[in-house]
Amino acid sequence: MSVDLSSADSRLIQVLVERSPNGILVTGKDGLLQVVNPAALEMLTMVGNPIGRSPEDAIMVPEVVSAFHQPELSGTSFRYGSKEYLVRIVDLDNYGQLIILEDVTSIRRSEQYRREFVANVSHELRTPTTSITGYAQTLLSGHIDLSEDARSMVEVIHRNAIRLSNLFEDLLTLSRIDNSDAPLPVQALQLDGIISECIDKQRPRADERSINFQVISAAGVVALCNRDALNHIIGNLVENAVKYSRDGGLVTVRIAPRDSEVLIEVIDLGEGIAPAHQERIFERFYRVDKARSRAVGGTGLGLAIVKRLIDRMGARMELRSRVGSGSIFRVFLARAMEG
């Protein structure tokens, strides 16, 4: 597609580039800088007049120079002085490259303030919530005579105090995960014990609704993973499979070694998730069915934590689901090679 620009159009584009709050750098097909707007000159340290020079000769910021040669850096950020910049890289086909720099310092600072606020509030509220839960449990223990109406009210207090406690724990967990982008340490671990532990934790809830478990796995499958993270990931997926299964249903956990990966599938035969919701269920506090989620006691943070742990462990996850037929959550781990 070609675009016919009048002189007025060209002037407008020039003004937009010059006045853009984002740094803009453009190279020609020879790799030399053709456009460097005032915002880029203010953001970066450059040598003399950069026009007509290569990025290596003109720009004294290694992260920006690297961006011209590594398209995979697009969408990443870097710190330079007291500022943090987000870099976006656009290939201009046979012409050259466009680099856009956005100052995200205030955004990152706001995110940090939000995380600290959530962590502090959750920590402070967890203590009184624990006290409420404990006293309510004492009242329900049978050592104190309660009328039928009083017992009913205390049960509501106890149930909702537990929900609040779970919410605060999930908020604190997510805050701890968000405070670092560093990869989690991994080691070669046999998966059988971790899977069994996750299932055992959910067995009482499953037994109440006559839900059975099935594990399909070759013995002694070993994967590279972080034990605590994988416990949390599989534990959450198994818990959700039980929550959203029909009474008398079946939850299956399958471990399948592949050439370089180990696949863990958590399968339920419940209500399933519509395609419109499948991308968003990993967002914080997103719920497919708010009424049902409240009924089963979810916080809306479980899958957000799972996704964050998956990313930090260097693993990946897929969801396959059909309304009325259930869901399959698939976790792919690096396989630990024998010998």
Side-chain angles (χ1 to χ4, degrees):
M1 181 179 68
S2 62
V3 179
D4 184 14
L5 294 175
S6 67
S7 59
D9 293 330
S10 299
R11 175 57 184 161
L12 175 60
I13 292 174
Q14 182 180 354
V15 171
L16 290 174
V17 171
E18 290 177 351
R19 298 187 182 179
S20 171
N22 295 329
I24 296 175
L25 305 100
V26 180
T27 57
K29 60 183 178 181
D30 56 3
L32 303 181
L33 289 164
Q34 301 296 319
V35 176
V36 179
N37 75 340
L41 288 171
E42 185 177 345
M43 291 175 175
L44 306 174
T45 300
M46 299 192 188
V47 176
N49 182 4
I51 301 301
R53 296 188 177 199
S54 68
E56 291 83 354
D57 291 338
I59 303 171
M60 299 294 101
V61 184
E63 292 85 355
V64 177
V65 174
S66 298
F68 285 97
H69 307 290
Q70 300 178 51
E72 66 273 13
L73 294 177
S74 186
T76 62
S77 61
F78 66 93
R79 293 198 67 85
Y80 183 60
S82 61
K83 299 288 187 178
E84 184 168 355
Y85 298 112
L86 178 70
V87 59
R88 300 192 187 279
I89 306 165
V90 181
D91 183 28
L92 302 178
D93 297 326
N94 294 326
Y95 184 80
Q97 285 185 305
L98 164 66
I99 303 293
I100 302 173
L101 299 173
E102 180 184 358
D103 186 346
V104 294
T105 308
S106 60
I107 296 173
R108 295 290 190 263
R109 187 179 298 119
S110 296
E111 290 175 350
Q112 182 62 29
Y113 290 157
R114 175 188 57 79
R115 287 196 292 266
E116 291 175 357
F117 173 78
V118 169
N120 291 336
V121 170
S122 299
H123 180 75
E124 292 300 323
L125 292 178
R126 182 172 59 172
T127 300
T129 303
T130 301
S131 297
I132 294 170
T133 304
Y135 283 123
Q137 191 168 354
T138 300
L139 289 171
L140 294 172
S141 65
H143 299 297
I144 300 174
D145 291 332
L146 296 174
S147 67
E148 186 175 339
D149 288 342
R151 174 169 289 276
S152 178
M153 288 186 284
V154 174
E155 287 174 348
V156 172
I157 293 171
H158 184 249
R159 183 167 61 252
N160 283 282
I162 290 176
R163 286 182 59 193
L164 281 174
S165 181
N166 291 337
L167 174 60
F168 298 146
E169 286 297 332
D170 281 351
L171 284 169
L172 286 169
T173 298
L174 196 54
S175 178
R176 285 193 293 269
I177 296 170
D178 280 345
N179 279 336
S180 174
D181 289 324
L184 290 171
V186 298
Q187 62 183 126
L189 295 172
Q190 286 198 1
L191 300 180
D192 301 8
I194 294 175
I195 301 300
S196 297
E197 182 180 340
C198 294
I199 288 176
D200 288 343
K201 287 181 179 178
Q202 298 304 318
R203 203 173 291 279
R205 175 178 290 184
D207 290 344
E208 289 177 2
R209 298 173 51 209
S210 301
I211 296 172
N212 294 313
F213 289 104
Q214 174 181 242
V215 178
I216 302 173
S217 172
V221 177
V222 179
L224 292 174
C225 56
N226 180 281
R227 179 182 292 277
D228 291 340
L230 191 64
N231 256 313
H232 198 109
I233 291 165
I234 302 302
N236 182 275
L237 295 180
V238 171
E239 179 181 359
N240 283 350
V242 172
K243 283 181 181 178
Y244 296 105
S245 284
R246 298 182 178 90
D247 291 353
L250 176 68
V251 172
T252 301
V253 180
R254 188 172 79 96
I255 305 173
R258 298 186 169 188
D259 291 339
S260 61
E261 294 181 315
V262 174
L263 167 64
I264 305 175
E265 291 182 320
V266 180
I267 307 166
D268 70 75
L269 304 177
E271 299 175 0
I273 304 167
H277 299 294
Q278 290 183 19
E279 287 296 323
R280 298 200 61 193
I281 61 171
F282 298 102
E283 298 176 7
R284 303 174 192 203
F285 297 112
Y286 186 81
R287 300 170 185 268
V288 174
D289 183 341
K290 292 182 175 61
R292 175 155 172 74
S293 293
R294 283 193 294 268
V296 299
T299 66
L301 290 171
L303 288 177
I305 294 173
V306 165
K307 181 63 169 64
R308 192 75 175 92
L309 289 172
I310 286 281
D311 292 342
R312 287 193 56 197
M313 199 165 54
R316 59 190 180 94
M317 183 166 60
E318 293 178 357
L319 166 62
R320 296 184 179 182
S321 186
R322 182 182 299 173
V323 175
S325 300
S327 302
I328 304 175
F329 285 86
R330 314 179 80 194
V331 177
F332 297 85
L333 303 172
R335 186 176 181 182
M337 296 301 163
E338 298 180 1

